Amino acid sequence: PTLLNILKSNLHRDLPQRIFEVGDVVLNGKNIRKVGGLAIHRKASFTEIKGLVKSLLSSFGLADYDIVPVEHPSFVPGRTGQVIIGNDPVGIFGELHPRTITRFSLSNPIIAFEFNVEAIGS
């Protein structure tokens, strides 16, 4: 939501826009470092975000992972992937659902990802 609010604040800026963030998230009383990013432009697609995710994983030196389809209410059905390392889900990515986009007063396609940094950086 933080990144989407930034896009909402930048409606007056030209497209494309790409933003990234690293920060701590509290889950079950524990801090977990996450990395997230998104891009907004007329032709944003699942293929683009999948390529970006593969590049990110490669930059962490990861080659042994699986990408599996997953359903998530914030993303378009059939255009969402989950990254699995070993047996653990470590991240999610895809095209944001139009319902999610319009909730933030945005109108162009948006692609996004979020990963547990410790899981992909170890």
Side-chain angles (χ1 to χ4, degrees):
T2 305
L3 296 176
L4 290 168
N5 279 323
I6 291 170
L7 289 181
K8 184 177 178 180
S9 296
N10 285 320
L11 285 172
H12 60 287
R13 302 283 183 189
D14 290 337
L15 298 180
Q17 293 180 38
R18 293 175 180 87
I19 50 178
F20 304 90
E21 173 181 55
V22 176
D24 290 334
V25 176
V26 179
L27 293 173
N28 300 321
K30 181 180 175 186
N31 283 351
I32 298 174
R33 174 100 359 140
K34 298 267 189 161
V35 59
L38 54 75
I40 182 172
H41 59 90
R42 287 181 333 120
K43 295 184 180 183
S45 69
F46 181 78
T47 302
E48 179 184 355
I49 193 66
K50 185 175 180 182
L52 180 66
V53 164
K54 285 182 168 186
S55 178
L56 174 69
L57 294 171
S58 176
S59 72
F60 275 94
L62 294 171
D64 191 19
Y65 60 86
D66 291 307
I67 294 176
V68 298
V70 67
E71 296 296 317
H72 188 284
S74 296
F75 293 94
V76 174
R79 297 183 192 169
T80 310
Q82 186 173 53
V83 175
I84 308 290
I85 297 176
N87 292 321
D88 299 321
V90 299
I92 190 167
F93 65 94
E95 289 182 39
L96 289 185
H97 197 285
R99 178 182 58 242
T100 305
I101 293 169
T102 57
R103 282 186 184 146
F104 287 86
S105 302
L106 300 164
S107 58
N108 284 286
I110 300 173
I111 51 177
F113 71 87
E114 182 179 73
F115 285 94
N116 177 334
V117 173
E118 283 93 9
I120 65 173
S122 54

